[in-house]
Amino acid sequence: MDITDSEILLELFLALETPEGLRAQLLDGDILIELPFDGYHCHLISSLTDQVYGKSAIDMQMSEHKGLRLVTGGHHPPNHVIPHATFVPDDLRLFQGAPPWMEPDGVAMVAEVTSNKPDQDRIAKRHCYARAGIPLYLLIDREKSQVSLFSKPHREEYTEVHLAAFGEPLALLAPFDFELDTKDFL
């Protein structure tokens, strides 16, 4: 049996032992290594999470380190992505007993905060999450001082986007159904 380059890359990725504090992801055939987050990043995720827990129309669970195994475009191995925040309805208990790289079925929203390679969050991850059919993708763009909520995934893209500058409210769609206050993002 011939082993493809894609299978070799996936095997290498899954065998990686990243040093403590670093995160490895496989995105469209590239292995990405992320450094620990700065305080502003942590502040933004904390503010988002606090509001989801306090205002969401239904109870949610959140993981900052949940690996998702997602379909890929082209001839690459499956994407293995760790969103900065993954939200699932509490009653589904998707994280309980989930493998390190779980399927995205049941995920309500993923959120990313732009890092030192913002186009990965703005473009590559957006396409990746849309292909996986994740209903909502929230991008907190530090460089642009804006929040983007992508919704209605279709193939490799989201067909709707809602934008708000930091300081302005952004309506989070169902199942969240509340206005995200971004004043604290400034």
Side-chain angles (χ1 to χ4, degrees):
M1 178 173 147
D2 292 333
I3 296 177
T4 66
D5 289 345
S6 180
E7 291 169 322
I8 291 170
L9 179 62
L10 181 58
E11 282 184 37
L12 288 171
F13 170 75
L14 293 174
L16 278 177
E17 292 185 28
T18 55
E20 188 173 336
L22 297 181
R23 299 175 348 146
Q25 303 178 82
L26 180 61
L27 181 63
D28 290 339
D30 292 326
I31 295 176
L32 313 172
I33 306 292
E34 267 190 355
L35 298 171
F37 304 124
D38 62 27
Y40 184 41
H41 176 280
C42 296
H43 168 77
L44 293 167
I45 291 295
S46 179
S47 179
L48 170 64
T49 303
D50 287 348
Q51 290 186 61
V52 168
Y53 286 154
K55 298 178 180 181
S56 185
I58 66 170
D59 290 337
M60 288 284 170
Q61 290 183 336
M62 188 279 289
S63 175
E64 282 190 73
H65 304 289
K66 187 71 218 112
L68 298 178
R69 184 180 182 279
L70 308 174
V71 295
T72 187
H75 302 290
H76 304 295
N79 289 317
H80 287 69
V81 180
I82 305 170
H84 293 148
T86 301
F87 294 93
V88 301
D90 185 66
D91 62 348
L92 296 180
R93 299 284 188 225
L94 292 178
F95 298 136
Q96 186 174 347
W101 298 101
M102 74 179 215
E103 299 297 322
D105 300 334
V107 170
M109 180 173 74
V110 292
E112 298 281 358
V113 175
T114 53
S115 58
N116 59 344
K117 294 185 178 182
D119 282 342
Q120 287 176 344
D121 300 314
R122 293 180 189 133
I123 301 166
K125 287 187 178 181
R126 185 183 79 229
H127 293 303
C128 182
Y129 296 143
R131 270 194 309 271
I134 295 173
L136 300 173
Y137 172 38
L138 184 76
L139 177 61
I140 301 172
D141 196 319
R142 301 186 320 175
E143 292 76 18
K144 293 183 177 182
S145 296
Q146 77 179 20
V147 182
S148 305
L149 179 65
F150 299 93
S151 63
K152 297 190 178 176
H154 179 70
R155 296 189 182 136
E156 291 199 13
E157 191 56 87
Y158 286 93
T159 60
E160 289 187 10
V161 61
H162 308 270
L163 304 171
F166 284 5
E168 300 296 321
L170 177 71
L172 288 187
L173 306 174
F176 300 90
D177 289 320
F178 74 90
E179 293 240 322
L180 179 67
D181 182 355
T182 68
K183 287 182 207 146
D184 198 33
F185 292 6
L186 294 168

